[in-house]
Amino acid sequence: MTSAPARAWAVLGTGAFAQGLLRGLAHRPERVSTVHVIGRTHQRARGVAALATGHGTLAGTHVRFVPHDAGLSPADRLRPLLQALRPALLIVCASPQSPSEARTRDSDWSRLLRRAGFGATLPLQAALVRDSVLACIDASPGTRVVNACFPDLVNPALHAEGLPVLCGLGNVATLATATRARLGVRDDRRLSLLAHHAHLSAPDDPRDEAAGWLDGAPLIELPEVLGEVRAMPRDFLNELGAQSAVPALHALTDPAASYTGHLPAPHGLPGGYPVRIAGTVLSLRLPPGFSRAEAVAFHREREHLDGVRLGEDGLLRFTSGTHAALRAYGAELPTAFRPADLPDLSRHLLKLRDRLRQTSVSPPDQKESP
């Protein structure tokens, strides 16, 4: 039997999630021969690539990590870069808005984020993913795009626009990995979890909680287990999410590999699901008696937890509380909008952010990374 050829991947981003993913790939490259690390500056990309190379040296693996500069406006450089690289996967781990800012800085902008909810940043989370998909379509149509930036809603929004994103990373996979660790469950086939990005925090209404099954039976103690998981520092959870992505990514590109676990937004579905990957084909792995339609409805009913919904009519809608918070801080955004409007809304939010960040003060024990 002829072995599958070695492959090249590209990782867009150099932040905490991207670094965790690259560390995981350094230790478990399988048939990946080269990973292209794309950052806003060559210095940053080179440093992160060097760190991953060091981990590969420690692990005794031979994957190459090659740095590339995408500039401050990556959309302008992605097309020629992707045309030259032609990676099997493009993994987007970067957005104009860090999810941690609401927790680590004090400014009118961070106060807006805390009041409005994470869904208020949807246009910013979608911006670079959208550019990446369009760049792949034009310059490297064989490249499959995977998104780690708010995939639970970004991916469905882009699919509604006709832009394919294969799946997401993190979120439900993060919670499932930490849940299995708490329960001492080593076999990932035993656990099935339906969880949205919003379930990284406890919902105010217990009826909005995630749902889980162990060995096909409802996991009654899930709220208590998730309470322990949510008590972990967010950067620890981020590391688990990044590391758990590695075997799933291998299975998406290697017909000989398989994966049983969890992923957010498979094929543009809202929220996160138990999945399996065999022969590079991604499919749902729902508990007995639970249909795809019921799983999708479960997540549709909980999208409001992040402050924005995607309706069956294809329109995105901010919840009343999120929209009121945005208006209170000067954001002139409509209540309802089309996925195609996301780039314009992103530009508006970036201008607003520049103004509201002027009072930014980092807490003394949580200084920003350079």
Side-chain angles (χ1 to χ4, degrees), residues 7-260:
R7 295 176 305 278
W9 293 355
V11 174
L12 178 58
T14 56
F17 192 93
Q19 289 179 39
L21 177 64
L22 292 167
R23 285 193 295 271
L25 283 170
H27 288 267
R28 293 172 290 172
E30 304 299 334
R31 297 187 187 278
V32 177
S33 61
T34 304
V35 179
H36 299 283
V37 181
I38 306 173
R40 290 189 175 184
T41 67
H42 188 73
Q43 180 180 8
R44 177 68 174 175
R46 183 176 58 198
V48 172
L51 176 62
T53 299
H55 275 273
T57 300
L58 291 173
T61 58
H62 301 286
V63 62
R64 295 171 59 242
F65 294 92
V66 183
H68 300 273
D69 174 10
L72 296 179
S73 300
D76 299 334
R77 298 191 186 180
L78 274 178
R79 280 173 175 79
L81 187 58
L82 289 169
Q83 188 171 30
L85 300 178
R86 299 294 177 99
L89 280 182
L90 174 61
I91 307 155
V92 182
C93 303
S95 79
Q97 179 59 51
S98 169
S100 68
E101 181 167 355
R103 302 188 303 272
T104 59
R105 300 188 67 160
D106 186 19
S107 67
D108 280 343
W109 175 251
S110 60
R111 285 188 282 273
L112 164 59
L113 298 182
R114 289 192 291 269
R115 179 175 168 184
F118 191 70
T121 71
L122 172 65
L124 300 176
Q125 301 302 324
L128 196 50
V129 188
R130 187 177 187 276
D131 289 341
S132 298
V133 176
L134 290 172
C136 284
I137 291 172
D138 290 346
S140 185
T143 299
R144 307 171 91 183
V145 179
V146 174
N147 169 38
C149 302
F150 196 17
D152 300 63
L153 196 56
V154 168
N155 291 14
L158 294 182
H159 269 256
E161 196 182 350
L163 301 178
V165 184
L166 183 57
C167 64
L169 300 177
N171 301 346
V172 67
T174 302
L175 293 173
T177 300
T179 296
R180 287 202 296 115
R182 288 285 176 176
L183 295 174
V185 175
R186 299 299 178 185
D187 187 347
D188 49 18
R189 294 173 297 181
R190 296 179 58 196
L191 179 68
S192 297
L193 190 66
L194 287 174
H196 196 275
H197 165 269
H199 289 124
L200 289 169
S201 301
D204 293 332
D205 188 339
R207 293 173 296 182
D208 287 330
E209 185 57 279
W213 295 258
L214 185 63
D215 298 326
L219 188 57
I220 304 301
E221 65 269 35
L222 181 63
E224 290 75 21
V225 174
L226 288 179
E228 297 173 350
V229 168
R230 290 162 178 152
M232 295 174 64
R234 188 57 66 90
D235 56 337
F236 291 7
L237 288 174
N238 207 40
E239 177 76 7
L240 287 179
Q243 295 287 324
S244 69
V246 174
L249 294 172
H250 284 308
L252 288 171
T253 56
D254 186 351
S258 62
Y259 171 76
T260 301

